[in-house]
Amino acid sequence: MAATYLLSTALMGLLVLGVAFVVARGRAWHEYQPEFVRKEDVSVGDDSALLTVVFLVLIGLTLGATLFVVGGGNVVLFLGVVAALVVGFLALGVYATARSNGHPHSHAVGEAIITLGAVLLVAVVGWLLATAGA
């Protein structure tokens, strides 16, 4: 049984290396020049007052959740809130980065959704490893 797992791991490793090689050699991606974002395209990241308020609200929520857990609250609820914040920031960060690099709205949303799918896949794999045993 262990030999099958090792063979499968080696085969998947070769597949990943092959895909990486094809992607690296397939197109001239290193010569890509993104279009510059016009000044009319104002994003949330351009408003420093809004970012300051959001940062202070997040500090308050984190402090409140921490005090809730320390006071005998539910740890699972606390970890769920923290995980939701991290995943939300990850998706928003991918979207904002894509938009600032000149990608259209539809591409940026697609990249954020792909990121959320990858996080969900990692979460399911982690849950399966934790419950089914590895």
Side-chain angles (χ1 to χ4, degrees):
M1 186 75 163
T4 305
Y5 288 147
L6 289 175
L7 181 64
S8 173
T9 302
L11 184 63
M12 288 298 113
L14 287 174
L15 180 65
V16 167
L17 289 175
V19 168
F21 179 76
V22 168
V23 169
R25 300 286 183 175
R27 299 178 78 186
W29 58 267
H30 54 279
E31 297 174 7
Y32 173 72
Q33 296 285 330
E35 296 178 15
F36 290 105
V37 179
R38 297 183 308 270
K39 273 297 187 190
E40 297 90 39
D41 295 337
V42 177
S43 68
V44 175
D46 293 337
D47 189 7
S48 62
L50 177 64
L51 289 176
T52 303
V53 169
V54 169
F55 181 70
L56 292 174
V57 166
L58 286 175
I59 288 174
L61 287 173
T62 304
L63 180 63
T66 303
L67 292 176
F68 175 73
V69 169
V70 169
N74 191 354
V75 176
V76 174
L77 176 66
F78 174 70
L79 293 177
V81 169
V82 169
L85 285 174
V86 168
V87 170
F89 277 129
L90 180 67
L92 185 62
V94 167
Y95 175 80
T97 302
R99 288 294 289 161
S100 69
N101 284 330
H103 296 192
H105 172 74
S106 59
H107 293 187
V109 169
E111 292 165 358
I113 289 174
I114 288 170
T115 303
L116 289 175
V119 169
L120 179 66
L121 182 65
V122 168
V124 167
V125 167
W127 177 71
L128 287 173
L129 286 175
T131 57

